[in-house]
Amino acid sequence: MSPRGVAIPDLRERLFAAAERVVARDGAAALTSRAVTAEADCGKGVLHTHFAGLDEFVAELVLDRFARSARQAEGLGARVGQGSVAGNLQEVALALLDSLPPAVVGLAMTRPAAALHAREGLRSGAPAFDAIQDSFAAYLRAEQRDGRIAQGADAATIALALVGTVHHLLMTRVPGGSEEAKGTTERLVAVLLGAARQPPTA
């Protein structure tokens, strides 16, 4: 965060949600500090009071959404033995895909200062894809112990393949491509788990 101060959680989320609405409605080029504060119905200087500028704000938005997805992935541990393994994985993977609009990801990648701030946050330990991958692998190993996945299945590799694909889709999908990304994710989970299913006992 900026040395200017730390925005209170409710205000941060209010600004972040406003930025996502601006991008969804008007495109990434329309994202300015004034557009965000107007959408959030805040004073014009609020964003710059709590963030060094728009680049830091965009980077913090990306980091916040990654952290939220990591928290959702952690929740897989509570689903062991419940529902279907594929359904549980798909729900979290799709939540990650929905966590950031493609235009926001593109904005963060094309603004050098924003990209640098995001990388610094990740290097400092901000939860992102590594944490999500670890949660997927831990969940799969727990399902192995519960007998719903074959003991010989490589949980770490399945988790890596799933998270790697979601990362690729996040970085490359175009606005309006959510259904295609969803279908790709569902097919991948089916393929990955197809060989990992526990054979029925005689």
Side-chain angles (χ1 to χ4, degrees):
M1 285 295 300
S2 164
R4 294 168 182 260
V6 177
I8 59 174
D10 286 350
L11 178 58
R12 277 173 58 94
E13 179 54 34
R14 185 174 172 183
L15 292 170
F16 289 159
E20 290 174 326
R21 292 194 300 272
V22 169
V23 170
R25 184 183 63 239
D26 303 323
L31 190 68
T32 64
S33 59
R34 179 166 294 187
V36 171
T37 53
E39 181 70 24
D41 195 23
C42 295
K44 293 180 182 179
V46 166
L47 187 147
H48 289 280
T49 299
H50 298 288
F51 299 89
L54 189 62
D55 286 318
E56 182 179 280
F57 173 78
V58 169
E60 289 291 333
L61 167 58
V62 171
L63 291 172
D64 179 86
R65 291 336 191 203
F66 282 161
R68 185 168 66 180
S69 297
R71 290 192 295 272
Q72 289 176 307
E74 286 180 358
L76 280 169
R79 302 186 191 184
V80 176
Q82 302 177 19
S84 71
V85 176
N88 291 338
L89 289 173
Q90 286 168 4
E91 183 176 340
V92 175
L94 294 177
L96 175 56
L97 282 174
D98 290 339
S99 65
L100 276 171
V104 173
V105 176
L107 191 64
M109 297 299 292
T110 56
R111 296 176 71 99
L116 177 61
H117 186 87
R119 285 196 298 271
E120 288 174 346
L122 295 173
R123 282 196 296 266
S124 298
F129 290 102
D130 287 348
I132 295 167
Q133 181 180 327
D134 289 343
S135 292
F136 279 158
Y139 166 73
L140 289 165
R141 286 192 290 268
E143 292 287 19
Q144 280 182 312
R145 293 191 294 270
D146 208 44
R148 298 213 296 169
I149 295 178
Q151 290 300 310
D154 188 339
T157 298
I158 294 173
L160 174 61
L162 180 56
V163 172
T165 299
V166 171
H167 179 275
H168 171 75
L169 292 172
L170 256 181
M171 299 301 165
T172 60
R173 69 190 174 117
V174 297
S178 295
E179 286 304 312
E180 182 179 353
K182 178 180 177 181
T184 298
T185 303
E186 291 176 345
R187 290 192 299 273
L188 176 66
V189 170
V191 169
L192 291 173
L193 293 182
R197 289 197 186 97
Q198 182 78 318
T201 55

